[in-house]
Amino acid sequence: MDLFASQALLPSGWARNVRLSIATDGTLQSVQPDAAAAGAEQVAGPLVPGMPNLHSHAFQRAMAGTAEVVADPQDSFWSWRQRMYDLVARMTPEAMQAIAAYLYMEMLKAGYTSVAEFHYLHHDRDGQPYADPAETAERVMAGAGIAGIAQALVPVLYSHGGFGGQPAAAGQRRFLHDTDSYASLWQTLRARIAARERQTLALCFHSLRAVTHEQIATILTLDDQVPVHIHIAEQQPEVDASLAWSGQRPVAWLYDHVDVDARWCLVHATHLTTDEVHKIAASHAVVGLCPTTEANLGDGIFPAMEHVAAGGRFGIGSDSHISVNVAEELRWLEYAQRLVTQRRNRLHGGDQPSVGRFLYEQALQGGAQALGQRIGRIEVGAHADFVVLDGDNPFIATASGGDQCLDRWLFALGNESVRDVYVNGRRVIEAGRHPDEERMTAAFVQAMQAVS
């Protein structure tokens, strides 16, 4: 199969008249700028690599818009978490699959072509394993298959309710594994995923609150190649609790006790000292930023300017899915820095004046690293995961060039700019629609009614 784009964003920059040949396994066989269009399918606008979503809790999409009512004058992440536990108590495997499929369709329509599913809702309502301990993992994988999105499954080890191995709360019982049961689940999933198209696996610790040092050391021996994900330093009370437990902040403790390298994705990492920023950058770990969720929960503002200046890497995720919008995540990453500094155009490269392009390319690279997949680049050997911006949109049609297309999409437009989306060379969104949209929507409505 051959595609032709009048302009496409390649690793070397924007190129004209690009012809792409896609192999039967869904990878790019050739990429030819300044080529002829004869015999190729011509795309209907500028072509860019599909964005990886490096942090997702699919079931939480069912909460969107339900926690915006004052329950406590001191509402915070911690009061929101109790509402999330209430949803967890009602969630069924069937509902999880329908919610995941619909969410992943929304992601595709927003320009995400792959997702790291940070999956910790493992057990039944009583906290007991299902007959198949991988039941709920199978459900979110099935949701990805229905929607047609690539997925890195990130099964979570969650054992404790606080630093130092404190007992878990009742609302957490569906999440809990000990070291042995998690290792067994992970090995089961590794065997099953081997036969699935565009499915990979990562290791994961929910947070330093939820595991011990001994557990981290043991689980890391399961595989020394795959990515490793962890929530860390998301809220100030978490930092305070870590200091009370160990005398160290979470990131400082992690770097003093674990060999953190480029395999690691540190999700949120909101509250950092300058020394911690530089440790993260030097380790080549990716920081997983979820600006719409972090803002919705009142977490705080990540020191992105300092992180970028230190050479740090980042990607984006939609986390609790209060919003499913590539443009909004990147826009609010930049806007938060503007609000803090009272200046404009804060995040950019020394030789890259376009803020939109800088943000997009950095998030592509960080997301690909965090998922451990060959994605985020239009080059030979990479998966053929693309977004076609709507060439008929007047803002895209009149842009002065590719960089301005990105700047307009990310700062002036949004999901309406995404016309077509390809995953593994297959068009899964056409003119803003999914071919199975009606059925997935009906299943989602039924699931939402069941868990409300």
Coordinates of all heavy atoms in Angstrom, one line a residue, residues 3-20 28 31-34 43 45-49 357 360-361 377-379 386-389 401-403 405-406:
L3 N 0.9 5.6 0.2 CA 0.2 6.8 0.5 C 1.0 8.0 0.0 O 2.3 7.9 -0.1 CB 0.0 7.0 2.0 CG -0.9 6.1 2.8 CD1 -0.9 6.4 4.3 CD2 -2.3 6.1 2.2
F4 N 0.4 9.1 -0.3 CA 1.1 10.3 -0.8 C 0.5 11.5 -0.1 O -0.7 11.7 0.0 CB 0.8 10.5 -2.3 CG 1.5 11.7 -2.9 CD1 2.9 11.6 -3.3 CD2 0.9 12.9 -3.0 CE1 3.5 12.7 -3.8 CE2 1.6 14.0 -3.5 CZ 2.9 13.9 -4.0
A5 N 1.5 12.3 0.5 CA 1.1 13.5 1.2 C 1.8 14.7 0.6 O 3.1 14.6 0.3 CB 1.5 13.4 2.7
S6 N 1.1 15.7 0.4 CA 1.7 16.9 -0.2 C 2.7 17.5 0.8 O 3.7 18.2 0.3 CB 0.7 18.0 -0.6 OG -0.1 18.4 0.5
Q7 N 2.5 17.3 2.1 CA 3.5 17.7 3.1 C 3.4 16.8 4.2 O 2.3 16.4 4.7 CB 3.4 19.2 3.5 CG 2.1 19.6 4.1 CD 2.1 21.1 4.5 OE1 3.2 21.6 4.9 NE2 1.0 21.7 4.4
A8 N 4.6 16.4 4.8 CA 4.6 15.5 5.9 C 5.8 15.8 6.8 O 6.8 16.3 6.4 CB 4.8 14.0 5.4
L9 N 5.6 15.6 8.1 CA 6.6 15.9 9.1 C 7.5 14.6 9.3 O 7.1 13.7 9.9 CB 6.0 16.3 10.4 CG 6.9 16.7 11.5 CD1 7.8 17.8 11.1 CD2 6.2 17.0 12.8
L10 N 8.7 14.7 8.8 CA 9.7 13.6 8.9 C 10.7 14.0 10.0 O 10.7 15.1 10.5 CB 10.4 13.5 7.5 CG 9.6 13.3 6.3 CD1 10.4 13.0 5.1 CD2 8.5 12.2 6.5
P11 N 11.5 13.0 10.4 CA 12.5 13.3 11.4 C 13.4 14.5 11.1 O 13.9 15.2 11.9 CB 13.3 12.0 11.5 CG 12.3 11.0 11.2 CD 11.5 11.6 10.1
S12 N 13.6 14.7 9.8 CA 14.5 15.8 9.3 C 13.8 17.1 9.2 O 14.4 18.1 8.9 CB 15.1 15.4 7.9 OG 14.1 15.1 7.0
G13 N 12.4 17.1 9.3 CA 11.6 18.3 9.2 C 10.5 18.1 8.2 O 10.3 17.0 7.7
W14 N 9.9 19.2 7.8 CA 8.8 19.1 6.9 C 9.3 18.8 5.5 O 10.3 19.4 5.1 CB 8.0 20.4 6.9 CG 7.1 20.6 8.1 CD1 7.4 21.3 9.2 CD2 5.8 20.0 8.3 NE1 6.4 21.2 10.1 CE2 5.4 20.4 9.6 CE3 5.0 19.1 7.6 CZ2 4.2 20.0 10.1 CZ3 3.8 18.7 8.1 CH2 3.4 19.1 9.4
A15 N 8.6 17.9 4.8 CA 9.0 17.6 3.4 C 7.8 17.6 2.5 O 6.7 17.5 2.9 CB 9.6 16.1 3.4
R16 N 8.1 17.9 1.2 CA 7.0 18.0 0.3 C 6.9 16.7 -0.6 O 7.9 16.0 -0.8 CB 7.3 19.2 -0.7 CG 7.2 20.6 0.0 CD 5.7 21.0 0.2 NE 5.6 22.3 0.8 CZ 4.4 22.8 1.0 NH1 3.3 22.2 0.7 NH2 4.3 24.0 1.6
N17 N 5.6 16.5 -1.0 CA 5.4 15.4 -2.0 C 6.0 14.1 -1.5 O 6.9 13.5 -2.2 CB 5.9 15.8 -3.4 CG 5.2 17.0 -3.9 OD1 4.0 17.2 -3.6 ND2 5.9 17.9 -4.6
V18 N 5.6 13.6 -0.4 CA 6.1 12.4 0.3 C 5.3 11.2 -0.1 O 4.1 11.2 0.2 CB 6.2 12.6 1.8 CG1 6.8 11.4 2.5 CG2 7.1 13.9 2.1
R19 N 6.0 10.2 -0.6 CA 5.3 8.9 -0.9 C 5.8 7.9 0.1 O 7.0 7.7 0.4 CB 5.7 8.5 -2.3 CG 4.9 7.2 -2.8 CD 5.4 6.8 -4.2 NE 4.6 5.7 -4.7 CZ 3.6 5.8 -5.6 NH1 3.4 7.0 -6.2 NH2 2.9 4.8 -6.0
L20 N 4.8 7.2 0.7 CA 5.1 6.2 1.8 C 4.6 4.9 1.3 O 3.5 4.7 0.9 CB 4.3 6.6 3.0 CG 4.5 8.0 3.6 CD1 3.5 8.3 4.7 CD2 5.9 8.2 4.0
L28 N 6.7 0.9 7.9 CA 7.1 1.7 6.7 C 8.3 1.0 6.0 O 9.3 0.8 6.5 CB 7.5 3.1 7.1 CG 6.3 4.0 7.3 CD1 6.7 5.3 8.1 CD2 5.6 4.4 6.0
V31 N 10.2 5.7 2.5 CA 9.7 7.1 2.7 C 10.5 8.0 1.7 O 11.7 8.2 1.8 CB 10.0 7.6 4.1 CG1 9.5 9.1 4.2 CG2 9.3 6.7 5.1
Q32 N 9.7 8.5 0.7 CA 10.4 9.2 -0.5 C 9.8 10.6 -0.6 O 8.7 10.8 -1.1 CB 10.2 8.5 -1.8 CG 10.7 7.1 -1.8 CD 10.4 6.4 -3.1 OE1 9.2 6.3 -3.5 NE2 11.4 5.8 -3.8
P33 N 10.6 11.6 -0.2 CA 10.2 13.0 -0.5 C 10.4 13.3 -2.0 O 11.1 12.6 -2.7 CB 11.1 13.9 0.4 CG 11.8 12.9 1.3 CD 11.8 11.6 0.7
D34 N 9.7 14.4 -2.4 CA 9.8 14.9 -3.8 C 9.5 13.7 -4.8 O 10.2 13.6 -5.8 CB 11.2 15.4 -4.1 CG 11.6 16.6 -3.1 OD1 10.7 17.4 -2.9 OD2 12.7 16.6 -2.6
V43 N -3.5 11.6 0.7 CA -4.2 12.0 1.9 C -4.7 13.4 1.8 O -4.2 14.2 1.0 CB -3.3 11.8 3.2 CG1 -2.8 10.4 3.3 CG2 -2.1 12.7 3.1
G45 N -4.6 16.2 3.6 CA -4.0 17.3 4.4 C -2.6 16.9 4.9 O -2.1 15.9 4.6
P46 N -2.0 17.8 5.7 CA -0.7 17.6 6.2 C -0.7 16.3 7.0 O -1.6 16.0 7.8 CB -0.4 18.8 7.1 CG -1.3 19.9 6.6 CD -2.6 19.2 6.1
L47 N 0.4 15.5 6.9 CA 0.6 14.2 7.6 C 1.6 14.4 8.7 O 2.7 14.9 8.4 CB 1.0 13.2 6.5 CG 1.1 11.7 7.0 CD1 -0.3 11.2 7.1 CD2 1.9 10.9 6.1
V48 N 1.3 13.9 9.9 CA 2.2 14.0 11.0 C 2.2 12.6 11.7 O 1.2 11.9 11.6 CB 1.8 15.1 12.0 CG1 1.9 16.5 11.4 CG2 0.5 14.9 12.6
P49 N 3.2 12.3 12.4 CA 3.2 11.0 13.2 C 2.1 11.0 14.2 O 1.8 12.1 14.8 CB 4.6 11.0 13.9 CG 5.4 11.9 13.1 CD 4.5 13.0 12.6
R357 N 5.5 22.9 17.2 CA 6.3 21.9 16.7 C 7.3 21.3 17.8 O 7.4 20.1 17.9 CB 7.1 22.3 15.5 CG 8.0 21.2 14.9 CD 8.6 21.5 13.6 NE 9.7 20.7 13.2 CZ 10.6 20.9 12.3 NH1 10.4 22.0 11.5 NH2 11.5 20.1 12.1
Y360 N 5.2 19.1 20.1 CA 4.7 17.9 19.4 C 5.9 16.9 19.2 O 5.7 15.7 19.6 CB 4.1 18.3 18.1 CG 3.2 17.2 17.6 CD1 1.9 17.0 18.0 CD2 3.6 16.3 16.6 CE1 1.0 16.0 17.6 CE2 2.8 15.3 16.1 CZ 1.5 15.1 16.6 OH 0.7 14.1 16.2
E361 N 7.0 17.4 18.7 CA 8.1 16.5 18.5 C 8.7 15.9 19.8 O 9.0 14.7 19.9 CB 9.2 17.1 17.7 CG 8.8 17.4 16.2 CD 9.9 17.9 15.4 OE1 10.8 18.7 15.9 OE2 9.9 17.6 14.2
R377 N 7.6 8.5 14.6 CA 8.5 9.0 13.5 C 8.1 8.4 12.2 O 7.8 7.2 12.1 CB 10.0 8.6 13.8 CG 10.6 9.3 15.1 CD 11.9 8.6 15.5 NE 13.0 8.9 14.5 CZ 13.7 10.0 14.5 NH1 13.5 10.9 15.5 NH2 14.7 10.1 13.7
I378 N 8.1 9.2 11.2 CA 7.8 8.7 9.8 C 9.1 8.4 9.2 O 9.8 9.2 8.6 CB 7.0 9.7 9.0 CG1 5.6 10.0 9.7 CG2 6.7 9.2 7.6 CD1 4.8 11.1 9.1
E379 N 9.5 7.1 9.4 CA 10.8 6.6 8.9 C 10.7 5.1 8.6 O 9.9 4.4 9.2 CB 11.9 6.9 9.9 CG 11.8 6.2 11.2 CD 12.9 6.6 12.1 OE1 13.7 7.5 11.9 OE2 13.0 5.9 13.2
F386 N -0.2 7.4 11.7 CA -0.2 8.8 11.2 C -1.5 9.5 11.6 O -2.6 8.8 11.8 CB -0.2 8.8 9.6 CG 0.8 7.9 9.0 CD1 0.5 7.0 8.0 CD2 2.2 8.0 9.4 CE1 1.4 6.2 7.4 CE2 3.1 7.2 8.7 CZ 2.7 6.3 7.7
V387 N -1.4 10.8 11.6 CA -2.6 11.7 11.7 C -2.6 12.6 10.4 O -1.6 13.1 10.1 CB -2.5 12.5 13.0 CG1 -3.6 13.6 13.0 CG2 -2.6 11.6 14.2
V388 N -3.7 12.7 9.8 CA -3.9 13.6 8.7 C -4.7 14.8 9.2 O -5.9 14.6 9.6 CB -4.7 12.9 7.5 CG1 -4.8 13.9 6.4 CG2 -3.9 11.6 7.1
L389 N -4.1 15.9 9.2 CA -4.9 17.1 9.6 C -5.8 17.5 8.4 O -5.5 17.3 7.2 CB -3.9 18.3 9.9 CG -3.0 18.0 11.1 CD1 -2.0 19.2 11.3 CD2 -3.7 17.7 12.3
G401 N 2.8 27.2 6.4 CA 3.7 26.1 6.3 C 3.3 25.1 7.3 O 2.4 25.2 8.1
G402 N 4.1 24.0 7.4 CA 3.8 22.9 8.3 C 3.8 23.3 9.8 O 3.0 22.9 10.6
D403 N 4.8 24.1 10.2 CA 4.9 24.5 11.6 C 3.7 25.3 12.0 O 3.2 25.2 13.1 CB 6.2 25.4 11.8 CG 7.4 24.6 11.8 OD1 7.3 23.3 11.8 OD2 8.5 25.1 12.0
C405 N 0.7 25.0 10.7 CA -0.4 24.0 10.8 C -0.4 23.4 12.3 O -1.4 23.3 12.9 CB -0.2 22.9 9.8 SG -0.6 23.3 8.1
L406 N 0.8 23.1 12.8 CA 0.9 22.5 14.1 C 0.5 23.6 15.2 O -0.2 23.3 16.1 CB 2.3 22.0 14.4 CG 2.6 20.6 13.8 CD1 4.1 20.3 14.0 CD2 1.7 19.5 14.3

